[in-house]
Amino acid sequence: LMTALRGVERGALGREQIIQSLQDGLEELRMMMDSTDMGGDLPVALAAWRHRWDARLGAVGVLLHWHLDDGLDGVGLSSDQLLQVMRVLQESATNVVKHAQAQNMHVRADVQHAAAGGRVLAITLQDDGIGLPSPEGQPGQRGLQNMRHRAEGIGAHLEVGNLAPPQRGCRVTLRVVLHGPGVPARASGRPVS
């Protein structure tokens, strides 16, 4: 919001840029409120995110395909974990809208069993767009860097990459270790393997 304000004061932002900046700020505020109000209830937070993003995706011609596994019932995260998970999901969806030229976006969330007998929350977002450009064509990569930083901050593992040909598009998968039934994992600062 401060960036938008300074841009307006300097006359450096056009109408569309101001609208986008304010929309992004409102979305961030909603996520912060959701992560606090929902007490770490992941399925409720995902439902609220879907409700907001379904229309936004539809407006740009992207069809949202949604699958939440029944194993998510009772999965709780700390407020910070939930906020960071939702921010990664939001950044991924924003990239689809702004860059992917996709027609479809698939979001899947489920609980998987880890090798050591634990459980892992896996959230995958996949599109059928043009995929990521080559590393030389990705100046800055600020969005990807932010997503990695957010994942590392809660001890999660983030995978981002293009689909193998002949498929088109990109896949983002976030994995968070769960400790006990409904007990939020503590952020350890170490990536999950």
Side-chain angles (χ1 to χ4, degrees):
L1 292 175
M2 289 301 296
T3 301
L5 177 62
R6 297 296 174 242
V8 169
E9 289 174 346
R10 290 190 315 265
L13 296 179
R15 182 179 187 281
E16 292 303 314
Q17 291 170 309
I18 294 168
I19 290 170
Q20 183 64 51
S21 184
L22 292 173
Q23 186 176 29
D24 291 346
L26 285 170
E27 194 66 34
E28 178 70 17
L29 181 59
R30 285 183 185 121
M31 278 194 323
M32 289 172 49
M33 290 171 34
D34 285 352
S35 68
T36 302
D37 293 345
M38 294 176 185
D41 190 334
L42 180 66
V44 173
L46 288 171
W49 184 90
R50 178 185 184 186
H51 176 73
R52 286 195 298 271
W53 273 85
D54 207 11
R56 186 172 176 186
L57 291 165
V60 296
V62 177
L63 183 60
L64 177 61
H65 303 271
W66 191 258
H67 179 75
L68 296 185
D69 189 73
D70 290 340
L72 292 179
D73 292 340
V75 170
L77 300 173
S78 71
S79 292
D80 183 51
Q81 285 177 312
L82 182 60
L83 178 59
Q84 300 312 323
V85 165
M86 300 311 293
R87 282 178 169 163
V88 169
L89 186 58
Q90 178 168 314
E91 183 68 37
S92 300
T94 299
N95 288 339
V96 170
V97 169
K98 289 184 178 179
H99 308 295
Q101 302 173 23
Q103 295 179 346
N104 295 281
M105 185 175 84
H106 299 263
V107 176
R108 178 178 189 85
D110 58 3
V111 175
Q112 302 170 349
H113 296 284
R119 300 178 320 142
V120 176
L121 165 66
I123 299 178
T124 300
L125 186 144
Q126 181 175 311
D127 68 69
D128 62 355
I130 61 173
L132 295 170
S134 65
E136 304 82 46
Q138 298 179 34
Q141 300 180 7
R142 194 167 128 191
L144 290 175
Q145 290 172 353
N146 285 341
M147 289 170 30
R148 285 189 175 95
H149 178 73
R150 293 180 190 292
E152 289 172 5
I154 60 170
H157 179 71
L158 181 71
E159 298 169 10
V160 180
N162 289 330
L163 300 176
Q167 293 181 309
R168 289 176 25 113
C170 178
R171 179 182 299 132
V172 175
T173 302
L174 179 69
R175 289 187 172 81
V176 182
V177 172
L178 301 172
H179 298 278
V183 178
R186 295 209 180 267
S188 65
R190 294 183 314 244
V192 176
S193 51

